[in-house]
């Protein structure tokens, strides 16, 4: 079965950085588009970023553009989210997703999901 496991979350001060990782197994990982979502308490799930299977096509939500960078290492079956200039509003559970293409990832339907990793940014 396909499994996605997120890691790298934690507590940081505003202005700090974190790098999230998502390790995949049980799938032809290098052929899947990958992405990141987040969900804050009382809020709807929010699309953050996506990358194509080659890593040449990327898309970011306006709220994180210029601060977050998505990348992937297909040799390690891992996708990353580098988060810089973190703000308290970034506090949320971050989820990794996998789908057939970047449009499917951004739509947030079907595909596969990890269990999430908590990111907390203090003021």
């Amino acid at each position: 079965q396909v499994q996605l496991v997120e890691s790298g979350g934690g507590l940081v001060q505003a202005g700090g950085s974190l790098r999230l990782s998502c390790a995949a197994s049980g799938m032809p990982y290098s052929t899947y588009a990958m992405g990141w979502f987040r969900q804050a308490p009382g809020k709807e799930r929010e699309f953050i970023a996506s990358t194509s299977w080659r890593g040449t096509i990327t898309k970011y939500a306006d709220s994180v553009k210029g601060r977050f960078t998505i990348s992937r290492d297909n040799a390690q079956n891992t996708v990353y989210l580098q988060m810089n200039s973190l703000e308290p509003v970034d506090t949320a559970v971050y989820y990794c997703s996998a789908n057939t293409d970047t449009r499917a990832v951004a739509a947030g339907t079907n595909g596969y999901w990890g269990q999430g990793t908590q990111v907390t940014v203090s003021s």
Side-chain angles (χ1 to χ4, degrees):
Q1 296 184 11
V2 174
Q3 294 186 15
L4 304 175
V5 181
E6 301 95 336
S7 62
L11 174 64
V12 298
Q13 292 184 329
S17 298
L18 284 174
R19 188 179 73 160
L20 306 183
S21 299
C22 173
S25 63
M27 60 185 285
Y29 185 84
S30 63
T31 66
Y32 277 67
M34 304 294 297
W36 290 93
F37 288 72
R38 69 186 182 188
Q39 187 168 22
K43 302 290 184 64
E44 294 293 315
R45 185 178 60 186
E46 176 188 14
F47 168 78
I48 297 300
S50 64
T51 180
S52 63
W53 66 273
R54 291 183 178 181
T56 56
I57 301 173
T58 57
K59 181 180 179 181
Y60 297 92
D62 289 341
S63 60
V64 305
K65 193 173 300 180
R67 299 189 298 121
F68 291 10
T69 302
I70 188 171
S71 62
R72 64 190 299 163
D73 184 343
N74 290 344
Q76 297 186 8
N77 288 359
T78 302
V79 63
Y80 303 95
L81 185 69
Q82 178 66 47
M83 306 185 295
N84 299 324
S85 301
L86 284 163
E87 305 168 1
V89 73
D90 296 317
T91 295
V93 176
Y94 284 71
Y95 297 93
C96 177
S97 66
N99 219 314
T100 55
D101 54 46
T102 55
R103 177 176 290 275
V105 168
T109 59
N110 301 315
Y112 304 96
W113 296 87
Q115 293 300 307
T117 184
Q118 177 70 49
V119 172
T120 302
V121 184
S122 62
S123 60

